[in-house]
Amino acid sequence: MFIAFYITDSKNSLVFQYLLGSNSPLFSHLLARIRAVCPGLLSKDDENDNTPLFHCCIAKDLEVYKYHSQVNNLNYYCLASGADSRPQTDTFTFLQLLDQTLLEYFDKDKLTVTKIVNNYDRITMIFYMSIDSGEPCVGSLNSNRIRRVIPVKSDLSKMINNTAHTLQRAVRQPRQGILAATPEILESEEVVPWRSGHLKYTSDEIYVDIIETVHVIYQTHHRNNSVQMVSGTINGQVNVKSYLSGNPTVEMDMDLAGNEMYAPSMHQCVEMPQGSPSSLCFIPPDGNCNLLNYTIDLDMNPKVKVTSPVGLVSVIYKDGLGLNRDEFEVHVNISNSPSVPHIQDLKLQIELQPRIQELEEQEEEAQRDAEMDTEAKKERSQLEDGKIKVLRNTHGRFDNSVHPGRGTWIFDSETPVGSLPVLRGCVEDSKHPVRIQRVGVSYANEGMLPSGIGLRRINVRSTTNLRENNRGKRLFKGVKYVCRTGDYEIRS
Amino acid sequence: MVDSIYRIASALESAKVITMDAAAIATSKLGETSYTTYSKNITPEQLSNLLNSRNPREIKDGMKRIISVMASGETTIDVESYFADVVKNIISDDAKVRIMVCIYLLRYAERDPNLALLSVNSIQKTLSDVDPETRCFSLKALSDMKIPSLFPVVLYTLKKAVTDPSASVRGEVAFSMLKLYREEGEEVVEELEPLLKVLLSDADPLVVSSAIVVLKKCFPQHLDWLHGHFRYYCEIMRELDPWAQNSMIDLLVSYCKQFLPRPTVVDASASADGVQSAILLPDRFNEIQFPVYDVVNHPDLTLFLQSLEPLIHSMNPSVILSSSNAFYQLATPMQFKKSEFPQALVRTSVFSNNIGVKSSLLQTILILSSLDSSLFLPYTKKFFVLPSDDTRVACLKLKILSNLINEFNVRVIVDQLKYYISTSQCPELVITAANTLAVCGQLSVRWESHVMKWFISHMETSKLPNAVLDSYVNVIRLLNPKRHLKTIMKLSEVLESRKLLADNVRAGIVWLFGEIAAVAYKICPDVLRKLIPHFSFEGPETRNQILLLAAKLLSYDIDNFRESGDVNEYDLDNSRIGQLYKAVAYLSEFDGDYDIRDRARCYSSLFLTRKFEIATLLLQAPKPSPVAASLWSPSSNGEQDLDWESVGLDKNLQEFHRMLPWNENIPETDDDLRKPAALKDYSRYKKSFSSDSFAGKNVSGGINSVSSGDWPLQPTSRQITATAAAAPAKKYRLQSLEEFFSDIPSKQTNKPKRKIVIESSSGEDDEESSSSDESESGDYRGDEDESSSSDESEGGDDRGDEDKGGDKNDDGDEDNASSSSG
């Protein structure tokens, strides 16, 4: 049973709280308690001091759950009791759902603190609707119901447009003047729980976004300078934004490009596909919705060669170059693609191997070291892990990290495709051969998906004539492909 | 003169203030931020004025301010002091304001029950609103107030609202029951039971969803209520709200265990002999001996498992988790694999970026994979640690990997583990990886020596934190050093040649030799001999361990001597080991560390007083092996409750996956227990719409197919109607004035509408349902009328009685069922 909900920013200062009773503690009180009992709950991901927790018991039968929303950079806390034999998944999922609901309600890509502060009343009402008697309120979690009860504030231009359109229509079809409104309301029944009845749009539109996130790990083979995939996954997400009148059925046909989607997860509205998930049929919820999540397993797919790169960017590096064998070279190959103009925010994190002291060396130094005190030893080891110095660089800039032996090669926000950036660097004052331990790659591009999946066509079927209002205009406003990297790593 | 000028000036001044206010409000239309600034500047006095204003706009502004103070945790304004001002706005025409008042009441009603009760009458009025949404919120608000004197009113309202034509209101009834139950507990059980039964027999998936949640929370022991609905629920499984699906699955799993016979597993491979051996589904997962087998299920169990299949596409991880648990509890590993839920588990855990969810899913996978690794073997690579993984997630992945190791994938896994051990900064991860690597080593002798060599070389070359080193030593001990004496010898060379090794590493190695003494005694005395000359140069930990090693060796030597059957007493002074020990003990006596001095004295007194048995007990005690070994080796004794906590699993997850026992003595009955009961169909969905092709979604379709066979029940219930019409559930109640006055117009509007409906409807059943379907206002009024003038509004009454008849019938069914089963 939920007792209270809190939203805080990443530094754990309160942004919003929703208390479900007079006994629910204020966040300041809870925070003090958490600090005393389990400070791990408050620590952030990137701090290495202690591993962050996401759940803890602060008293008997009183638990705190935490969900960190990466998109919004907000923390959601939930105080709950009586979670006897249910796994914690419920609560965590519910917190995530609240986050999504807020995003969908405000139709934003990112929820800022200001937005929350400005809309305290609405957000409180959304929470009030989503939670009943301390449980997720079954049945009113659909965004359409929330939107029906708490209408979205429409801005001025929308209002003017709508009024103009209504007038225009009233002039064009005088028969159905004011009286026509009544039958419309009468048939306002919901066909499906996720879609309100009698939706009317002046211009009917539907958009599709497909976003793929690549998680791949490669292993370099020094013998033949090739890389081999250790493990690889592509997580795909199909989002549909629909503004269609009436209750249309949408058929979506996808080109899977030979990939297999095993057991994808789908929105409630999707009709079970016959055999393959390539053709889906659904009554879209109004507005934004996450239609389909799929995972492509690159390890099991025989079509994917373990050596061929995933996505447009591939990286090869050589180390132990130069006279002192203390130089290394990183080659990036951005392949050409007609549909992708440029790569965004390309970044390479380079990490050198911490020099392992060779055995024989140490034996040599053993005697000397014995006399030396530990302080001096430390100093020496610090000196050895020198900074990375760039010798030649074709694109972008190089940033040394505070950790010795690490650095980031940061490109401009847009790098044209077809280019071949090269970075050659060395380690200052190094007496030993330099080896690269790992290179992490991160980038994003639009226009093409690494899996090659694409949308073939969309059919919208509706009894009410959707084209009535916008003859000659297309309903389907296009598809957007976005590729991002999650974990892209090349190890040696 | 001056006076008038002054007046004009003040008028202008006030005009200016008004204009500014107006401007602020006007800008609020345009920008949210400016409205917030305006709202923040409302003073406490102004707030009181706003709330008491006649202008709805101002009331709304006031309420918004109240809500934002509540939400932001500001302390500048004491919201509670506005109780009366806020609560009286419950009669506002604006739905939003009403909701905001309800939110206020939810939080503060308990603090001031007397004032809160003032609002009850107004809320009750809105309970008969035309708009189902309004009725819904009124019901919610009413039940949200935790004031004991209000509970009878709530209960009465629930009894009335349970037959509301709107599904969302009926759903809300369920939640109100939950609230009532939580406050009153056992006292209201008798009243709530019939209500919940009515809701459970509802045809609408939304109502069933809410009812199931309540059943799970309040009456999880009353599984027998599900008898008549089992098949229907299986049918509508997919249409239920995702947040109710998991409760439903959990309940039905318990139901199946309780009321369905245990499935039989038939050996399919032995069919050549003509004799098929068959066993009942074993209590533990994966205990079926047959290589190939068929499963014979009760048809209802098959129905349930089939109904879960579409849920594989669910977006809600809890549903996936519950469904997997259902297969784990009710089916064989083969069926589980075929259902593809293992894949759904893996996919969801890979996809989710919610760490809490991820760790729960991985824990489930860990439990399942330890019972049957083949479920997750194809996804081995999905459990490789990614750079972005949280430590906890990474550790769970490694533990899962240790379950999946076999000859085919061991090479890849070992490579990965080595990488993690040598590069990771996090000790916890390294330790887990080391343990997993030890499991790899147990696969075969070749891998064992490989792993051990790698550990030893790695131990030499890198500086390690204490905890990590401990785990290394543990792992090496685990890997049966007897077979790898060569490697162990190398370790002794390390000890000899590299004096620079960290103190704890050396201590660890020395301790290791002490343990090895149990299996390979021969090499140890020499190690000790070599250590003694440098005793004083060692670090404190190593010195401690050398002392311990000496004591252990002496103890072993004494035991060996005794076993050889020599009649003489063991001569401590003349034996070599005894002398070695004495040398160490002597050195320890002058040690700077009092711990070492104490220990030396302790051991010496044992040996000198010839308490060898105690020494044996003390020094040769078997050590518990690290977690990795005891838990994961297949030979571990098959206790049901493995000690998962040492593996770091959550208690409630463990509890969730605890195998429920099958009910062994299910009474044989001729009656079909699960004969579908009559549904309360308020079918409002019977309407042609554009998406008829959506068979899966078409709610009414599903209902028809189930209930078609049961319509014969209808006449009987009708007969009961005649007698029962006057009897139950009709308490006399005073009408409020509004109700009294509102009666007449509502009836008038009622009649013409009904005519239309009757014309359009075809059958009798349809008529009833559609008469409830007509304008909700009229119908609802009909309900209200019952108390005063029961024969005036035919449609409403008819339907109401019908339901009571249905109720009765239901109860009768229920009784039959229980008596026959008992």
Side-chain angles (χ1 to χ4, degrees), chain B residues 114-143:
Chain B
N114 291 333
L115 273 178
L117 283 174
L118 287 181
S119 63
V120 170
N121 198 26
S122 316
I123 296 178
Q124 269 182 309
K125 272 181 223 160
T126 52
L127 273 172
S128 45
D129 199 276
V130 189
D131 183 18
E133 210 72 72
T134 313
R135 296 204 295 274
C136 222
F137 278 111
S138 312
L139 197 56
K140 184 170 178 178
L142 199 62
S143 53

Side-chain angles (χ1 to χ4, degrees), chain A residues 391-441:
Chain A
L391 300 176
R392 187 159 62 87
N393 186 7
T394 56
H395 292 70
R397 64 197 165 85
F398 190 85
D399 257 15
N400 262 304
S401 151
V402 279
H403 299 280
R406 285 187 212 175
T408 316
W409 185 12
I410 304 166
F411 286 70
D412 299 340
S413 63
E414 289 177 357
T415 313
V417 292
S419 47
L420 294 162
V422 178
L423 175 87
R424 193 177 174 101
C426 71
V427 176
E428 281 177 354
D429 310 324
S430 172
K431 298 170 202 130
H432 313 283
V434 167
R435 295 245 166 259
I436 290 181
Q437 179 158 310
R438 55 173 285 264
V439 174
V441 183

Side-chain angles (χ1 to χ4, degrees), chain B residues 627-691:
Chain B
V627 177
S630 64
L631 189 67
W632 307 122
S633 60
S635 59
S636 71
N637 61 339
E639 266 306 297
Q640 193 61 51
D641 318 299
L642 289 172
D643 185 18
W644 290 109
E645 261 169 82
S646 56
V647 199
L649 292 193
D650 294 327
K651 231 188 199 135
N652 45 7
L653 199 85
Q654 234 170 288
E655 182 64 22
F656 179 62
H657 287 295
R658 199 169 47 87
M659 198 59 123
L660 299 167
W662 287 92
N663 186 4
E664 296 299 344
N665 39 5
I666 302 160
E668 292 288 326
T669 44
D670 297 334
D671 295 359
D672 192 356
L673 258 185
R674 281 163 292 282
K675 192 171 68 176
L679 292 169
K680 302 232 176 310
D681 193 353
Y682 302 79
S683 58
R684 314 176 55 229
Y685 292 101
K686 277 184 184 164
K687 215 167 237 167
S688 64
F689 59 90
S690 62
S691 327

